[in-house]
Amino acid sequence: MPSVRNTIGGRHGEPSGEQRYRAINPAKLGDVIAEYPFSSTGDIDQAVEAARAAFPAWRGRTAAQRAEILMKAGALLQAQAATLGALMTREMGKPLAEAVAEVGYAGRVLQFYAAEAQRPIGEVLASGRPDVHYYTQREPIGPVGLITPWNFPFSIACWKLGPALITGNTAVWKPAPHHPFCSQALLDYLMDAGLPDGVVNLVHGGAEAGAAIVGNHALPGIAFTGSTPVGQAIFRSVSDRLGRAQCEMGGKNGLYVHAAADLARAAGLAVEGGFRSAGQKCTATSRVLVDRAILPAFSEIFLDRVNALKVGDPLAPDVFLGPVVDDRQFAKVRAHIAQAADEGIAIAAGGLNRPQDGGYFVAPTVFTDVAPTARIAQEEVFGPVVALIPVAGLDEAISVLNATEYGLSSTIVTNDLRAAQRFARDVECGVINVNLPTAGVEMHAPFGGWKGSGLGAPEQGLKIMDFYTHWRSVAMNFS
Ligand code: NAD
């Protein structure tokens, strides 16, 4: 079994904490990927010091020099997508085709940010004072802490590394512990592409290592993706020490099937959003709201499709959903299902019977006739579970969608332009889709949740550049 190494200042070494972690293939529980210690606070301090030491030289490079490295690393990821995708499938259970696509996409994200090297980093202002050259300019904020979850091992890391690096920041990166070799591979490719030692420092660990990064005053910025309670605590703690935080968090995304929808299309979109990646996307569809007039017709098509989905080995090409990621997630998703069943909510598909042994498999599950206030309609499950909620029409759909603590992504399926426009205007969330799944945003669009789904600048696209940079205004009197 290869060993799991931190990479600090370009040197590889075993993490030195006392807590040990066992990474397991969630589809084959006998397949142990690695057993390794988490990083200690001392490891984190060393990583921060390495990022601090590397900052002046990295900042001093031209953006074009930094871009060359991101371009190359992006090309390496794309060239290795098949191998890295298979590694990801083994480490966290994402079906192979989705995993391969994610690696290629992550490579393109690095290249998207590389292209920013050619764009303006400031503007010239007209001064009211004679003979004053007045301009603005972005500056990197320094070494930053990046904390990422397990559900997109490559692309979420690249959403953060791309903008952080192109703007001249260095980083301490702590990914989720489930996929240590995916994380190492990503850093190895960046270094193969020419990234200097210490510019990105990879530290393996869990909550404690994350908290040590968050609390380190030498990191003026922390970018986090993960659950809402953790993100909220990070945002508060970093603000308290006058740092800045950017947190992408949970969701309870809804897809609304309007009376004027194409029902087959709506069912396809609900299946796609609800069950791809076993529902483990922050933008997964976990509520499907349906106008009562079309509820029987929609339910018949939708449930037929759900019951036909194949669950199993994520390496098999005909499998739609693999396992959930680990024992904790398995227990959590099953507890949500059991709790909703105990409340007397009807199950129309799936449930607690295991669709396959040997891994953390959960059957695609649909609850019907769910009240909007039920826990299964309010709390993030992060698994293959959908609550069908009948509504009286567009107005009720909008108010039900808005009545959760989250605000990430929503979809309306309709052929009615007025309904689509009202939906796009009145639903309180950062991503709106019309006749598209709740999951999936293009890399150049800002992606940020409202309410409990996001704090700070939206990720992706160019809005995030404001998080990784300070603005400096320069007034120069040349009279
Ligand atoms: P999590 O919050 O448990 O962990 C996320 C990361 O934070 C991991 O690296 C973890 O080790 C670290 N961490 C945990 N506790 C910490 C602490 N106290 N201090 C610092 N770091 C800590 O989330 P998860 O279970 O890994 O991921 C699932 C969650 O992520 C879901 O809620 C999902 O909606 C959310 N998510 C959001 C987005 C988005 O862009 N909005 C994308 C993917 C996942």
Side-chain angles (χ1 to χ4, degrees):
M1 201 185 296
S3 60
V4 171
R5 305 154 301 153
N6 282 345
T7 305
I8 297 177
R11 281 192 308 279
H12 304 302
E14 194 176 64
S16 73
E18 276 168 19
Q19 194 184 337
R20 291 189 73 80
Y21 182 81
R22 194 174 223 233
I24 289 175
N25 178 342
K28 295 187 181 98
L29 302 186
D31 176 18
V32 178
I33 290 153
E35 230 183 309
Y36 65 97
F38 277 168
S39 297
S40 63
T41 310
D43 296 333
I44 303 298
D45 289 346
Q46 280 178 23
V48 172
E49 183 47 36
R52 224 177 50 78
F55 178 60
W58 182 245
R59 173 188 181 217
R61 291 203 177 196
T62 65
Q65 289 169 329
R66 297 193 289 258
E68 207 180 310
I69 295 168
L70 292 183
M71 271 296 182
K72 265 194 211 155
L76 288 171
L77 288 184
Q78 288 169 69
Q80 295 300 321
T83 316
L84 296 175
L87 180 67
M88 191 196 309
T89 298
R90 179 176 175 227
E91 293 194 337
M92 51 71 72
K94 187 173 291 193
L96 184 62
E98 282 179 69
V100 172
E102 180 189 331
V103 177
Y105 170 88
R108 291 194 298 283
V109 169
L110 292 183
Q111 295 183 331
F112 170 83
Y113 285 106
E116 284 309 299
Q118 271 111 31
R119 278 186 246 287
I121 54 162
E123 53 197 354
V124 176
L125 308 174
S127 176
R129 297 162 286 185
D131 294 336
V132 168
H133 179 204
Y134 210 6
Y135 64 95
T136 62
Q137 188 171 318
R138 287 185 187 281
E139 296 288 350
I141 60 175
V144 291
L146 311 178
I147 299 175
T148 53
W150 44 263
N151 63 337
F152 287 92
F154 284 85
S155 54
I156 292 183
C158 289
W159 286 359
K160 299 189 191 307
L161 288 166
L165 295 178
I166 193 64
T167 46
N169 302 278
T170 56
V172 174
W173 171 36
K174 194 210 78 63
H178 305 72
H179 47 77
F181 299 119
C182 287
S183 308
Q184 277 180 207
L186 175 52
L187 182 55
D188 287 347
Y189 283 119
L190 278 162
M191 297 192 80
D192 288 351
L195 194 76
D197 291 350
V199 172
V200 175
N201 302 279
L202 168 63
V203 283
H204 296 282
E208 209 178 308
I213 292 172
V214 169
N216 196 308
H217 289 226
L219 300 172
I222 303 290
F224 164 86
T225 299
S227 58
T228 297
V230 175
Q232 187 179 14
I234 288 177
F235 197 85
R236 196 180 290 130
S237 136
V238 176
S239 305
D240 277 352
R241 64 167 173 83
L242 298 179
R244 60 170 74 167
Q246 186 268 332
C247 299
E248 292 301 339
M249 310 185 296
K252 189 70 192 171
N253 314 291
L255 174 144
Y256 167 48
V257 189
H258 181 242
D262 170 334
L263 297 190
R265 174 188 238 185
L269 293 171
V271 165
E272 186 71 24
F275 303 113
R276 276 259 182 244
S277 296
Q280 300 171 113
K281 292 183 183 181
C282 51
T283 49
T285 303
S286 60
R287 298 182 289 165
V288 175
L289 286 61
V290 189
D291 278 345
R292 276 181 216 282
I294 52 162
L295 183 60
F298 171 79
S299 300
E300 194 182 330
I301 306 171
F302 178 56
L303 292 172
D304 275 355
R305 294 206 184 181
V306 174
N307 286 318
L309 293 177
K310 188 148 183 224
V311 187
D313 179 359
L315 289 171
D318 59 338
V319 156
F320 192 89
L321 64 160
V324 297
V325 77
D326 64 9
D327 53 348
R328 208 183 98 203
Q329 203 58 25
F330 186 64
K332 186 182 140 204
V333 173
R334 286 170 60 85
H336 276 289
I337 296 174
Q339 178 267 326
D342 283 352
E343 281 179 22
I345 303 176
I347 297 187
L352 289 174
N353 286 337
R354 291 176 179 225
Q356 179 165 328
D357 287 331
Y360 298 124
F361 295 100
V362 179
T365 296
V366 178
F367 285 96
T368 52
D369 207 13
V370 180
T373 50
R375 282 179 61 186
I376 199 73
Q378 287 288 322
E379 295 173 4
E380 185 181 45
V381 177
F382 222 58
V385 180
V386 162
L388 270 188
I389 305 174
V391 289
L394 179 64
D395 288 336
E396 190 181 352
I398 292 171
S399 65
V400 167
L401 283 172
N402 289 344
T404 74
E405 66 175 83
Y406 297 105
L408 192 52
S409 179
S410 300
T411 284
I412 180 170
V413 190
T414 186
N415 292 325
D416 177 329
L417 180 62
R418 275 181 301 185
Q421 283 286 0
R422 281 228 17 237
F423 188 91
R425 187 191 64 191
D426 294 340
V427 173
E428 295 162 359
C429 65
V431 177
I432 299 277
N433 301 284
V434 179
N435 298 326
L436 287 166
T438 55
V441 269
E442 296 183 39
M443 67 180 76
H444 53 295
F447 175 66
W450 295 9
K451 306 195 288 188
S453 293
L455 289 168
E459 195 143 49
Q460 292 204 135
L462 298 182
K463 304 277 182 227
I464 192 64
M465 301 306 232
D466 280 340
F467 173 74
Y468 290 106
T469 52
H470 290 298
W471 277 111
R472 197 201 290 287
S473 299
V474 181
M476 201 176 288
N477 181 350
F478 60 91
S479 64

